[in-house]
Short mmCIF file of all heavy atoms in Angstrom, two decimals:
data_model
loop_
_atom_site.label_atom_id
_atom_site.label_comp_id
_atom_site.label_asym_id
_atom_site.label_seq_id
_atom_site.Cartn_x
_atom_site.Cartn_y
_atom_site.Cartn_z
N SER A 254 233.79 194.94 -88.07
CA SER A 254 234.94 194.69 -87.19
C SER A 254 234.55 194.97 -85.75
O SER A 254 233.50 195.54 -85.47
CB SER A 254 236.12 195.58 -87.60
OG SER A 254 235.75 196.95 -87.52
N GLY A 255 235.45 194.57 -84.84
CA GLY A 255 235.26 194.99 -83.45
C GLY A 255 235.18 193.90 -82.42
O GLY A 255 235.51 192.73 -82.66
N VAL A 256 234.71 194.29 -81.25
CA VAL A 256 234.79 193.48 -80.04
C VAL A 256 233.82 192.30 -80.08
O VAL A 256 232.65 192.44 -80.44
CB VAL A 256 234.54 194.37 -78.80
CG1 VAL A 256 233.14 194.94 -78.77
CG2 VAL A 256 234.84 193.64 -77.51
N VAL A 257 234.35 191.12 -79.70
CA VAL A 257 233.55 189.90 -79.60
C VAL A 257 233.92 189.20 -78.30
O VAL A 257 235.10 189.04 -77.98
CB VAL A 257 233.80 188.94 -80.78
CG1 VAL A 257 233.02 187.63 -80.59
CG2 VAL A 257 233.41 189.58 -82.10
N VAL A 258 232.91 188.77 -77.55
CA VAL A 258 233.11 188.12 -76.25
C VAL A 258 232.93 186.61 -76.38
O VAL A 258 231.93 186.15 -76.94
CB VAL A 258 232.12 188.67 -75.20
CG1 VAL A 258 232.35 188.00 -73.84
CG2 VAL A 258 232.25 190.19 -75.08
N PHE A 259 233.90 185.87 -75.85
CA PHE A 259 233.82 184.40 -75.80
C PHE A 259 233.80 183.94 -74.35
O PHE A 259 234.44 184.54 -73.48
CB PHE A 259 235.04 183.77 -76.47
CG PHE A 259 235.13 183.99 -77.95
CD1 PHE A 259 235.90 185.03 -78.45
CD2 PHE A 259 234.47 183.16 -78.84
CE1 PHE A 259 236.01 185.24 -79.82
CE2 PHE A 259 234.56 183.36 -80.20
CZ PHE A 259 235.32 184.40 -80.70
N ALA A 260 233.09 182.84 -74.10
CA ALA A 260 233.09 182.21 -72.79
C ALA A 260 234.04 181.01 -72.82
O ALA A 260 234.00 180.20 -73.74
CB ALA A 260 231.69 181.75 -72.41
N LYS A 261 234.89 180.92 -71.79
CA LYS A 261 235.86 179.82 -71.72
C LYS A 261 235.38 178.69 -70.82
O LYS A 261 236.02 177.63 -70.76
CB LYS A 261 237.20 180.35 -71.22
CG LYS A 261 237.86 181.33 -72.17
CD LYS A 261 239.09 182.00 -71.55
CE LYS A 261 240.23 181.03 -71.33
NZ LYS A 261 241.43 181.75 -70.79
N THR A 262 234.28 178.92 -70.09
CA THR A 262 233.71 177.88 -69.22
C THR A 262 232.20 177.84 -69.42
O THR A 262 231.59 178.82 -69.84
CB THR A 262 234.01 178.17 -67.74
OG1 THR A 262 233.35 179.40 -67.35
CG2 THR A 262 235.50 178.29 -67.49
N SER A 263 231.61 176.71 -69.10
CA SER A 263 230.16 176.57 -69.25
C SER A 263 229.42 177.50 -68.29
O SER A 263 228.36 178.04 -68.62
CB SER A 263 229.73 175.11 -69.02
OG SER A 263 230.14 174.66 -67.74
N LYS A 264 229.97 177.70 -67.10
CA LYS A 264 229.35 178.61 -66.13
C LYS A 264 229.30 180.03 -66.70
O LYS A 264 228.27 180.70 -66.65
CB LYS A 264 230.15 178.61 -64.82
CG LYS A 264 229.59 179.57 -63.76
CD LYS A 264 230.55 179.72 -62.58
CE LYS A 264 230.64 178.44 -61.79
NZ LYS A 264 231.48 178.63 -60.56
N ALA A 265 230.41 180.48 -67.27
CA ALA A 265 230.46 181.82 -67.85
C ALA A 265 229.50 181.93 -69.02
O ALA A 265 228.81 182.95 -69.19
CB ALA A 265 231.88 182.15 -68.29
N LEU A 266 229.44 180.91 -69.85
CA LEU A 266 228.55 180.93 -71.01
C LEU A 266 227.09 181.06 -70.60
O LEU A 266 226.36 181.91 -71.14
CB LEU A 266 228.75 179.65 -71.83
CG LEU A 266 227.89 179.53 -73.09
CD1 LEU A 266 228.21 180.63 -74.08
CD2 LEU A 266 228.09 178.15 -73.73
N THR A 267 226.66 180.28 -69.63
CA THR A 267 225.27 180.34 -69.17
C THR A 267 224.93 181.72 -68.62
O THR A 267 223.89 182.30 -68.94
CB THR A 267 225.03 179.27 -68.08
OG1 THR A 267 225.27 177.98 -68.64
CG2 THR A 267 223.60 179.35 -67.56
N ARG A 268 225.81 182.26 -67.80
CA ARG A 268 225.54 183.55 -67.16
C ARG A 268 225.60 184.71 -68.15
O ARG A 268 224.79 185.65 -68.06
CB ARG A 268 226.52 183.76 -66.00
CG ARG A 268 226.29 182.79 -64.85
CD ARG A 268 227.29 182.96 -63.72
NE ARG A 268 227.02 182.03 -62.63
CZ ARG A 268 227.78 181.91 -61.55
NH1 ARG A 268 228.85 182.68 -61.39
NH2 ARG A 268 227.47 181.04 -60.61
N LEU A 269 226.53 184.67 -69.08
CA LEU A 269 226.61 185.74 -70.08
C LEU A 269 225.43 185.67 -71.05
O LEU A 269 224.89 186.70 -71.46
CB LEU A 269 227.93 185.66 -70.83
CG LEU A 269 229.16 186.10 -70.04
CD1 LEU A 269 230.44 185.78 -70.80
CD2 LEU A 269 229.10 187.59 -69.71
N ASN A 270 225.03 184.47 -71.41
CA ASN A 270 223.84 184.32 -72.27
C ASN A 270 222.62 184.94 -71.60
O ASN A 270 221.79 185.59 -72.25
CB ASN A 270 223.58 182.85 -72.57
CG ASN A 270 224.47 182.30 -73.67
OD1 ASN A 270 225.03 183.06 -74.46
ND2 ASN A 270 224.62 180.99 -73.72
N GLU A 271 222.51 184.75 -70.30
CA GLU A 271 221.38 185.32 -69.57
C GLU A 271 221.46 186.84 -69.55
O GLU A 271 220.44 187.53 -69.69
CB GLU A 271 221.36 184.77 -68.14
CG GLU A 271 220.20 185.30 -67.29
CD GLU A 271 218.83 185.08 -67.92
OE1 GLU A 271 218.62 184.03 -68.57
OE2 GLU A 271 217.96 185.98 -67.79
N GLN A 272 222.66 187.40 -69.41
CA GLN A 272 222.81 188.85 -69.45
C GLN A 272 222.41 189.41 -70.82
O GLN A 272 221.79 190.47 -70.90
CB GLN A 272 224.27 189.25 -69.14
CG GLN A 272 224.65 189.12 -67.68
CD GLN A 272 226.00 189.74 -67.38
OE1 GLN A 272 226.25 190.89 -67.74
NE2 GLN A 272 226.86 188.99 -66.71
N PHE A 273 222.74 188.70 -71.88
CA PHE A 273 222.34 189.15 -73.21
C PHE A 273 220.82 189.08 -73.36
O PHE A 273 220.19 189.99 -73.90
CB PHE A 273 223.01 188.31 -74.30
CG PHE A 273 224.28 188.93 -74.82
CD1 PHE A 273 225.51 188.52 -74.34
CD2 PHE A 273 224.24 189.94 -75.77
CE1 PHE A 273 226.69 189.10 -74.80
CE2 PHE A 273 225.41 190.53 -76.24
CZ PHE A 273 226.63 190.11 -75.75
N ARG A 274 220.24 187.99 -72.88
CA ARG A 274 218.77 187.85 -73.00
C ARG A 274 218.04 188.94 -72.23
O ARG A 274 217.00 189.44 -72.68
CB ARG A 274 218.34 186.47 -72.49
CG ARG A 274 218.44 185.35 -73.52
CD ARG A 274 217.70 184.11 -73.07
NE ARG A 274 218.32 183.52 -71.91
CZ ARG A 274 219.28 182.58 -71.96
NH1 ARG A 274 219.69 182.13 -73.14
NH2 ARG A 274 219.79 182.07 -70.86
N SER A 275 218.57 189.31 -71.08
CA SER A 275 217.92 190.32 -70.25
C SER A 275 218.41 191.74 -70.57
O SER A 275 218.08 192.68 -69.86
CB SER A 275 218.14 190.01 -68.77
OG SER A 275 219.52 189.93 -68.47
N LYS A 276 219.21 191.87 -71.65
CA LYS A 276 219.68 193.17 -72.13
C LYS A 276 220.49 193.93 -71.08
O LYS A 276 220.42 195.15 -70.97
CB LYS A 276 218.51 194.02 -72.63
CG LYS A 276 217.74 193.37 -73.77
CD LYS A 276 216.57 194.22 -74.22
CE LYS A 276 215.81 193.53 -75.34
NZ LYS A 276 214.64 194.30 -75.78
N GLU A 277 221.27 193.19 -70.31
CA GLU A 277 222.14 193.80 -69.31
C GLU A 277 223.51 194.14 -69.87
O GLU A 277 224.31 194.81 -69.21
CB GLU A 277 222.29 192.87 -68.10
CG GLU A 277 220.99 192.61 -67.35
CD GLU A 277 221.14 191.52 -66.30
OE1 GLU A 277 222.27 191.36 -65.79
OE2 GLU A 277 220.16 190.84 -66.00
N ILE A 278 223.80 193.65 -71.07
CA ILE A 278 225.10 193.91 -71.70
C ILE A 278 224.95 195.09 -72.66
O ILE A 278 224.06 195.10 -73.51
CB ILE A 278 225.61 192.66 -72.44
CG1 ILE A 278 225.94 191.56 -71.41
CG2 ILE A 278 226.84 192.99 -73.29
CD1 ILE A 278 226.47 190.28 -72.00
N LYS A 279 225.81 196.07 -72.52
CA LYS A 279 225.75 197.26 -73.36
C LYS A 279 226.80 197.17 -74.46
O LYS A 279 227.99 197.02 -74.18
CB LYS A 279 225.98 198.53 -72.54
CG LYS A 279 225.90 199.81 -73.37
CD LYS A 279 226.16 201.05 -72.54
CE LYS A 279 226.09 202.31 -73.40
NZ LYS A 279 226.40 203.53 -72.64
N LYS A 280 226.35 197.26 -75.71
CA LYS A 280 227.26 197.26 -76.85
C LYS A 280 227.17 198.61 -77.56
O LYS A 280 226.08 199.09 -77.82
CB LYS A 280 226.91 196.13 -77.83
CG LYS A 280 227.15 194.74 -77.28
CD LYS A 280 226.97 193.68 -78.36
CE LYS A 280 225.54 193.57 -78.80
NZ LYS A 280 225.35 192.53 -79.83
N THR A 281 228.31 199.18 -77.83
CA THR A 281 228.37 200.47 -78.52
C THR A 281 229.13 200.30 -79.83
O THR A 281 230.18 199.66 -79.87
CB THR A 281 229.08 201.53 -77.65
OG1 THR A 281 228.34 201.69 -76.43
CG2 THR A 281 229.15 202.86 -78.37
N TYR A 282 228.57 200.87 -80.90
CA TYR A 282 229.17 200.77 -82.22
C TYR A 282 229.57 202.14 -82.73
O TYR A 282 228.97 203.15 -82.37
CB TYR A 282 228.16 200.16 -83.21
CG TYR A 282 227.86 198.70 -83.00
CD1 TYR A 282 226.99 198.29 -81.99
CD2 TYR A 282 228.43 197.72 -83.81
CE1 TYR A 282 226.70 196.94 -81.79
CE2 TYR A 282 228.15 196.38 -83.63
CZ TYR A 282 227.29 196.00 -82.62
OH TYR A 282 227.01 194.67 -82.43
N TRP A 283 230.57 202.15 -83.61
CA TRP A 283 230.92 203.34 -84.38
C TRP A 283 230.62 203.06 -85.84
O TRP A 283 230.94 201.97 -86.34
CB TRP A 283 232.39 203.69 -84.21
CG TRP A 283 232.71 204.41 -82.92
CD1 TRP A 283 231.86 204.69 -81.89
CD2 TRP A 283 233.98 204.93 -82.53
NE1 TRP A 283 232.50 205.36 -80.89
CE2 TRP A 283 233.81 205.52 -81.25
CE3 TRP A 283 235.23 204.96 -83.12
CZ2 TRP A 283 234.86 206.12 -80.56
CZ3 TRP A 283 236.29 205.56 -82.44
CH2 TRP A 283 236.10 206.14 -81.17
N ALA A 284 230.03 204.02 -86.52
CA ALA A 284 229.71 203.87 -87.94
C ALA A 284 230.15 205.13 -88.69
O ALA A 284 229.93 206.24 -88.20
CB ALA A 284 228.21 203.65 -88.12
N ILE A 285 230.74 204.93 -89.85
CA ILE A 285 231.12 206.05 -90.72
C ILE A 285 230.11 206.14 -91.85
O ILE A 285 229.86 205.15 -92.55
CB ILE A 285 232.53 205.88 -91.30
CG1 ILE A 285 233.58 205.87 -90.16
CG2 ILE A 285 232.85 206.99 -92.29
CD1 ILE A 285 234.99 205.58 -90.64
N VAL A 286 229.51 207.32 -92.00
CA VAL A 286 228.51 207.54 -93.05
C VAL A 286 228.91 208.76 -93.88
O VAL A 286 229.60 209.66 -93.40
CB VAL A 286 227.09 207.73 -92.46
CG1 VAL A 286 226.65 206.49 -91.69
CG2 VAL A 286 227.03 208.96 -91.56
N LYS A 287 228.46 208.78 -95.13
CA LYS A 287 228.77 209.91 -96.02
C LYS A 287 227.79 211.06 -95.83
O LYS A 287 228.17 212.23 -95.83
CB LYS A 287 228.77 209.44 -97.48
CG LYS A 287 229.22 210.52 -98.47
CD LYS A 287 229.37 209.95 -99.87
CE LYS A 287 229.82 211.02 -100.86
NZ LYS A 287 231.15 211.59 -100.53
N ASN A 288 226.53 210.73 -95.66
CA ASN A 288 225.49 211.75 -95.51
C ASN A 288 225.35 212.13 -94.04
O ASN A 288 225.21 211.25 -93.18
CB ASN A 288 224.16 211.25 -96.05
CG ASN A 288 224.24 210.87 -97.52
OD1 ASN A 288 225.02 211.45 -98.27
ND2 ASN A 288 223.45 209.89 -97.93
N ARG A 289 225.35 213.40 -93.75
CA ARG A 289 225.21 213.86 -92.36
C ARG A 289 223.75 213.74 -91.92
O ARG A 289 222.85 214.21 -92.62
CB ARG A 289 225.67 215.32 -92.24
CG ARG A 289 225.67 215.83 -90.80
CD ARG A 289 226.08 217.29 -90.71
NE ARG A 289 226.08 217.76 -89.34
CZ ARG A 289 227.12 217.71 -88.53
NH1 ARG A 289 228.27 217.24 -88.97
NH2 ARG A 289 227.03 218.14 -87.27
N PRO A 290 223.51 213.11 -90.76
CA PRO A 290 222.13 213.05 -90.25
C PRO A 290 221.57 214.45 -90.02
O PRO A 290 222.31 215.40 -89.74
CB PRO A 290 222.28 212.29 -88.92
CG PRO A 290 223.55 211.51 -89.07
CD PRO A 290 224.45 212.37 -89.91
N LYS A 291 220.25 214.58 -90.13
CA LYS A 291 219.62 215.88 -89.93
C LYS A 291 219.74 216.36 -88.49
O LYS A 291 219.78 217.56 -88.22
CB LYS A 291 218.15 215.80 -90.34
CG LYS A 291 217.93 215.53 -91.83
CD LYS A 291 216.46 215.41 -92.16
CE LYS A 291 216.27 215.13 -93.65
NZ LYS A 291 214.83 214.94 -94.00
N LEU A 292 219.80 215.40 -87.55
CA LEU A 292 219.91 215.74 -86.13
C LEU A 292 221.27 215.32 -85.60
O LEU A 292 221.86 214.35 -86.07
CB LEU A 292 218.81 215.04 -85.33
CG LEU A 292 217.36 215.40 -85.71
CD1 LEU A 292 216.38 214.52 -84.93
CD2 LEU A 292 217.08 216.87 -85.41
N GLU A 293 221.77 216.05 -84.61
CA GLU A 293 223.05 215.71 -83.99
C GLU A 293 222.96 214.40 -83.21
O GLU A 293 223.93 213.65 -83.10
CB GLU A 293 223.50 216.83 -83.04
CG GLU A 293 223.89 218.11 -83.75
CD GLU A 293 225.15 217.96 -84.57
OE1 GLU A 293 226.15 217.41 -84.05
OE2 GLU A 293 225.13 218.38 -85.75
N ALA A 294 221.77 214.15 -82.67
CA ALA A 294 221.54 212.92 -81.90
C ALA A 294 220.05 212.61 -81.95
O ALA A 294 219.22 213.53 -82.01
CB ALA A 294 221.99 213.08 -80.46
N ALA A 295 219.71 211.33 -81.94
CA ALA A 295 218.30 210.94 -82.01
C ALA A 295 218.15 209.46 -81.67
O ALA A 295 219.13 208.71 -81.65
CB ALA A 295 217.73 211.21 -83.41
N THR A 296 216.93 209.08 -81.40
CA THR A 296 216.58 207.67 -81.21
C THR A 296 215.69 207.25 -82.37
O THR A 296 214.71 207.95 -82.68
CB THR A 296 215.85 207.44 -79.88
OG1 THR A 296 216.74 207.77 -78.80
CG2 THR A 296 215.41 205.99 -79.73
N LEU A 297 216.05 206.17 -83.03
CA LEU A 297 215.27 205.64 -84.15
C LEU A 297 214.49 204.42 -83.70
O LEU A 297 215.03 203.49 -83.10
CB LEU A 297 216.19 205.23 -85.30
CG LEU A 297 217.15 206.27 -85.86
CD1 LEU A 297 217.98 205.65 -86.99
CD2 LEU A 297 216.39 207.50 -86.36
N THR A 298 213.19 204.43 -83.98
CA THR A 298 212.35 203.27 -83.71
C THR A 298 211.65 202.89 -85.00
O THR A 298 210.90 203.69 -85.57
CB THR A 298 211.31 203.57 -82.62
OG1 THR A 298 211.97 203.96 -81.42
CG2 THR A 298 210.48 202.32 -82.32
N ASP A 299 211.92 201.71 -85.49
CA ASP A 299 211.33 201.21 -86.74
C ASP A 299 210.84 199.79 -86.53
O ASP A 299 211.12 199.15 -85.51
CB ASP A 299 212.36 201.20 -87.88
CG ASP A 299 212.88 202.59 -88.21
OD1 ASP A 299 212.07 203.42 -88.65
OD2 ASP A 299 214.09 202.84 -88.04
N PHE A 300 210.12 199.30 -87.52
CA PHE A 300 209.79 197.88 -87.56
C PHE A 300 210.48 197.31 -88.78
O PHE A 300 210.39 197.86 -89.88
CB PHE A 300 208.27 197.68 -87.64
CG PHE A 300 207.59 197.94 -86.33
CD1 PHE A 300 207.22 199.23 -85.97
CD2 PHE A 300 207.36 196.91 -85.43
CE1 PHE A 300 206.63 199.50 -84.74
CE2 PHE A 300 206.77 197.17 -84.19
CZ PHE A 300 206.40 198.46 -83.85
#
């Protein structure tokens, strides 16, 4: 569930697509899990 962005004009679509490609758009998610992570906060890097 959650937030989804739509473009209503071609100009907006082109510019927002470019922001996504250049990682200028920040998306934050909430997740509910049963098992508590070992750390309060961390960065995960996987392949």
Side-chain angles (χ1 to χ4, degrees):
S254 59
V256 65
V257 176
V258 181
F259 293 95
K261 295 171 68 177
T262 64
S263 57
K264 178 190 291 185
L266 180 63
T267 299
R268 292 177 179 177
L269 287 171
N270 281 340
E271 180 54 37
Q272 285 190 51
F273 266 98
R274 275 194 293 269
S275 57
K276 300 179 181 178
E277 296 172 28
I278 293 180
K279 181 181 179 183
K280 292 188 292 181
T281 300
Y282 290 79
W283 281 4
I285 297 175
V286 299
K287 186 172 180 62
N288 301 329
R289 185 182 180 91
K291 295 178 181 177
L292 299 174
E293 291 293 312
T296 296
L297 304 179
T298 302
D299 298 296
F300 285 85

